[in-house]
Each structure stands twice: as structure tokens, then as C-alpha cells.
Amino acid sequence: MADFEVEKGKRLSFSGLGLHDWLVRQCEAVGIKQPTPIQHNCIPPILKGSDCIGCAKTGSGKTAAFALPILQKLSEDPYGVFGLVVTPTRELGIQIAEQFRVLGKPIGLRVTVVIGGIDMVEQGRELSKKPHIVIATPGRLADHIKSTSTFDLHAIKFLVLDEADRLLEGNFGPDLEVIFDFLPAKRQTLLFSATITDTMKELQKMSMDKPFSWHSKAPVATVEQLDQRYVLMPAQVKDAYLMYIISEFTEKNRDHSLIIFTSTCKYCHVLSIMLRNLGMQCATLHSLVKQKTRIASLAMFKSNHVRILVATDLASRGLDIPMVQMIINHNVPTSPKDYIHRVGRTARAGRGGMSITMVTQFDVKLVQAIEKTINTKMTEYKVPEKNVLPILNEVALAKSKAEMKLEELDFGERRAIHKRKQLILEGKDPDEADEEIKRAGPSQKKKKSHQQESNQSSSESHGKHKSKGKQSKGKRSR
Ligand code: AMP
């Protein structure tokens, strides 16, 4: 298994790596002039036909490292479906598709995104038109494979698992099995990730053909341009510190944006309402929000209409938004790997950026574990206590109003959120359940809704614990 770094001063150009002129020109047109190390190392072996495992810091140009050689091979022998990219989150799927579309424009590339929360019938129609590249999340693609016979992936030349560690270690196992069974044995398999794990090594032994493997030898998992800070404060005044940091940032950086990562969907929601109560516009991204709203929120944030995004770890993988200058970890991630992915949303492609991790008296051990993994000590971000004191009451009030607002959500809305949560816990797709209802039409909807209500009232009368299964069944059918 080859494994090498580019020697200093010997970095080749894109044409030196064997890419055709049209691709080199297209890269230049979008500002990609010099290959990054992962591109330098992985593009030639992929062009030669090897399976490949690429592991490098987030934001290091991984997408182009697999997209460029796939596009080149496709242009030599064009047919659809030529390549399948599987990725863990829907937002990442949309983003990868954008990069493919931009780079593949000169050859009239057709890309289809197959993700949950979007009309399945329309997606099925697009799949049957044989796009060149399919980008998919595992659950929705497995659903299509199980339910339709109007498309096939038996002739694909490339399978890419992006954020492979998360795909192989998450709850995607059964869906991936369905997908792998549907693919040809003879194909090139490419695994890309910021972190290589034991599961990936297992997969490599089982299903890859003497893969070329490239790991960045850089000693840290985060980039040098990232200024990694922590701010220490007592837990009970955390949100006032947060508000102070945000205000300072938005005043000093008129053109840039920031992401706040939170630990839970509920907290993400409360914090968004709190910020709005304090006059800050922000977008919200977590899994209990409907897919259409998720896409709209992200679009607002990407276009810089809203400069603050409050998100759970749903947004921590792969998202590439050049304007993001700061990441705030409202909670210290319990896994250093999650920290690496979160802070990787800034300081991308050679740009600078800052991360601030909010640390309370209870988090010291977690911070030490992160510092050990990233081989870097975070430095303190100084927030003078005297600047926070005047806003303590205002922030506390805005927060308690936000909590009350969450409580006051009308019954229907709260029930809908609860239903989504239940489905997610059961490993099901809540947007798909919504679509099922839409497809069923109004009379069916009414019938199902009655059925649901009677299920719910009967289950409620059976006590909280016992009723769980029944409730979820009823809710899914709505
Ligand atoms: P990725 O790691 O694939 O998410 O890419 C991060 C960002 O780097 C994207 O905005 C890419 O367009 C950009 N990028 C990829 N390759 C290069 C390159 N060789 N030079 C400059 N920017 C690049």
C-alpha cells in the first residue's frame, strides 16, 4: 500500500497530475489553481484505476480530490449512472452536488441528489432519467432501491463514501447493506474522511482492492490558520458571555458570519429564540426542523442574509461556507472528533478563522482530551467580566421568555415536533412520513388523523411508559 506526501517544492500542477485541459480550465475558472496535498496525492492513483482511502483535515479540498478524476473518467466514456456518492447528511449531499455541477458544467453533467425530506416520486423520476452522478444519503437511497425498479446502479464505475467514518459507524449499517447489494462488485471504491477509524480499516480489508491510502502527515487535525480559543465562565452566566461574544463579533466583522454549535435540538431552538428576543437575526439548523425549512435556513445563511447560524452537530460535517469566520462551541463536545469537525467549518481552504469553546467548571477534562487529540493548546479568549455584568439580566430574561415560548408552542406544533423526534429515535425518516400523508390525500389524512388521535388517547390512558410503542405507530401513520 503506497503512502506518501508530496515533497516540499515538488507540487505538480493539475495538468501535471494527468487532468485534461478542460478540467484544468474549469478549476481555474472557479479559483482552484494549485492542487492541495490530498488532491496531489489522490488524483493520480484514482485516474490509474485504484481504490483509494484519503484522510485529511476538513476543508482541505477532499471533494475535488474525488470529483475531478471521476469527471475525467466520465468524459472519456460518458453514460449514466456513472458514479454514486454516499454521504451522511442531506446538507452535505446538496453541497457536494453543487461542486460536481460547477466542475462538470463543460460536459453538461447531470447530477441528482437523493435525500430525505424531498418529494420521493419526483426523485424517482429523476433517477429513471439516468443522471451521470447520484449523490445520496443512505436511508433515502435504500428506500428507492427497495421500492422501485425504474433505475439501476449496476453499471456504476465509482462508489464514494464521503465522511466515511461517520457512515460506517453510525446507524446506517442496514441501509448501506441494501445499497452495497445493489452495486456491481467491479468498481472503484473511494473512502474520504477527516478521521480514519478501525471500522474503515475493516472495510478496506473486506471490500477494497489493494487501495491506495493517503493520510495527511500533518501532526494536528486542525489547520494552522485556525485560532483556537476557550473562554472560561461559571455555568449560570454562560448565555450572557455568549451574547457578549456575538455582539463583539458582529460589530467588528460586518462581512463575516458565525456558527454556534449546541448540544441538543431543544437547546438549539431555545438559543435561537433567545437571540431573536435580543434583536439578533439567526438561522436554526437541527434535525427536528422540517427539511424544507432546513434548506431555506441554510440558504439564508450561505447568502449572508443572516449572519448567525445556531446548529446541532448536524451541521458539523463537511459544510463549506466561505464567509464563516467564527465557530462558537456553546457546549464542549464530548468527543474530540466532533470538536475537529465543528471547528473545521471555519479557516477553510487557506483562509483564517477563530473557534471559541465555552468552558465551565465542569468541562476541564473534556478540554484536555481535545487538546491532546489536536496536539494544540487552546489559548484564552478574554472577556472582561465588567462588560458582561450589565447584560446579565437582559439575557436571563430573554432566555426565560424563550423557554416559555417553547412551552407555549401550540399543541399541534408541539405534537408535530414530538412526532418527528419519535420517528428519528426509531431510525425512520420524519419527512418521508409527512410525504406519505400528502400522497395519501385529504380524506386519507383525515382518517389517519382520527386513527392517530384515538391511538394516542388510548395510549395516554395506559400510562407514559407503556404507551410509547403505540404512540409512535399512530404518529407514523399520520
Ligand atoms: P472541501 O474540503 O472539499 O470541503 O473543500 C473546501 C473548499 O476548498 C471548497 O470551497 C473548495 O472549492 C475549495 N478548494 C478545493 N480545492 C481547492 C484548491 N486546490 N485550491 C483552492 N481552493 C480549493
Side-chain angles (χ1 to χ4, degrees), residues 196-240:
I196 290 281
T197 60
D198 290 345
T199 325
M200 284 171 68
K201 287 180 197 148
E202 281 306 305
L203 186 90
Q204 167 190 331
K205 274 187 238 151
M206 274 160 25
S207 64
M208 294 179 84
D209 186 19
K210 296 193 191 86
F212 168 83
S213 169
W214 186 78
H215 295 213
S216 166
K217 284 201 183 117
V220 289
T222 46
V223 293
E224 279 161 24
Q225 297 89 332
L226 175 68
D227 184 4
Q228 305 186 66
R229 306 289 191 101
Y230 70 89
V231 57
L232 193 61
M233 78 260 121
Q236 59 279 21
V237 291
K238 195 186 214 184
D239 293 320

Side-chain angles (χ1 to χ4, degrees), residues 259-272:
I259 303 180
I260 303 161
F261 280 104
T262 61
S263 53
T264 64
C265 298
K266 186 177 171 192
Y267 210 88
C268 184
H269 223 80
V270 168
L271 220 50
S272 304

Side-chain angles (χ1 to χ4, degrees), residues 199-416:
T199 325
M200 284 171 68
K201 287 180 197 148
E202 281 306 305
L203 186 90
Q204 167 190 331
K205 274 187 238 151
M206 274 160 25
S207 64
M208 294 179 84
D209 186 19
K210 296 193 191 86
F212 168 83
S213 169
W214 186 78
H215 295 213
S216 166
K217 284 201 183 117
V220 289
T222 46
V223 293
E224 279 161 24
Q225 297 89 332
L226 175 68
D227 184 4
Q228 305 186 66
R229 306 289 191 101
Y230 70 89
V231 57
L232 193 61
M233 78 260 121
Q236 59 279 21
V237 291
K238 195 186 214 184
D239 293 320
Y241 274 71
L242 173 72
M243 187 60 200
Y244 176 80
I245 295 169
I246 298 174
S247 307
E248 198 179 47
F249 174 85
T250 48
E251 268 165 38
K252 284 188 189 158
N253 299 274
R254 299 254 165 232
D255 298 326
H256 291 116
S257 45
L258 71 91
I259 303 180
I260 303 161
F261 280 104
T262 61
S263 53
T264 64
C265 298
K266 186 177 171 192
Y267 210 88
C268 184
H269 223 80
V270 168
L271 220 50
S272 304
I273 304 173
M274 180 193 92
L275 291 178
R276 285 184 204 120
N277 287 346
L278 290 163
M280 297 266 174
Q281 274 200 320
C282 64
T284 314
L285 192 67
H286 60 74
S287 57
L288 297 181
V289 174
K290 281 191 173 193
Q291 186 59 30
K292 276 188 187 145
T293 318
R294 267 160 67 172
I295 292 176
S297 288
L298 204 56
M300 293 277 282
F301 184 63
K302 278 188 167 181
S303 61
N304 222 20
H305 274 83
V306 172
R307 290 169 53 209
I308 302 171
L309 175 70
V310 190
T312 56
D313 279 303
L314 179 72
S316 72
R317 291 269 179 160
L319 283 187
D320 177 44
I321 305 169
M323 306 304 281
V324 176
Q325 184 79 18
M326 183 182 276
I327 300 299
I328 301 178
N329 287 314
H330 187 265
N331 72 305
V332 184
T334 45
S335 143
K337 213 164 89 179
D338 290 340
Y339 172 88
I340 293 167
H341 285 288
R342 284 182 179 192
V343 299
R345 297 315 98 222
T346 188
R348 298 175 70 76
R351 290 181 290 268
M354 182 187 275
S355 64
I356 300 181
T357 301
M358 306 195 72
V359 181
T360 70
Q361 62 272 35
F362 311 113
D363 304 319
V364 177
K365 285 225 153 63
L366 291 176
V367 173
Q368 286 167 345
I370 291 169
E371 288 181 335
K372 194 167 167 220
T373 306
I374 60 175
N375 197 17
T376 304
K377 286 263 178 229
M378 298 182 209
T379 54
E380 189 175 4
Y381 183 84
K382 292 218 177 348
V383 174
E385 203 183 341
K386 68 174 178 17
N387 294 355
V388 179
L389 288 175
I391 59 169
L392 276 184
N393 286 342
E394 191 191 359
V395 174
L397 190 65
K399 169 108 180 272
S400 69
K401 276 190 183 162
E403 282 167 340
M404 265 153 53
K405 184 152 184 205
L406 204 66
E407 286 300 307
E408 281 164 10
L409 282 181
D410 72 75
F411 183 63
E413 202 170 337
R414 244 190 308 156
R415 204 168 57 181

Side-chain angles (χ1 to χ4, degrees), residues 51 79 81-84 152-159 178-189 207:
D51 285 353
Y79 68 86
V81 180
F82 191 81
L84 169 67
D152 88 59
L153 300 173
H154 290 108
I156 62 156
K157 280 271 189 280
F158 285 95
L159 166 69
V178 172
I179 296 168
F180 290 168
D181 281 350
F182 201 61
L183 303 179
K186 190 169 163 356
R187 57 163 198 252
Q188 265 178 268
T189 302
S207 64

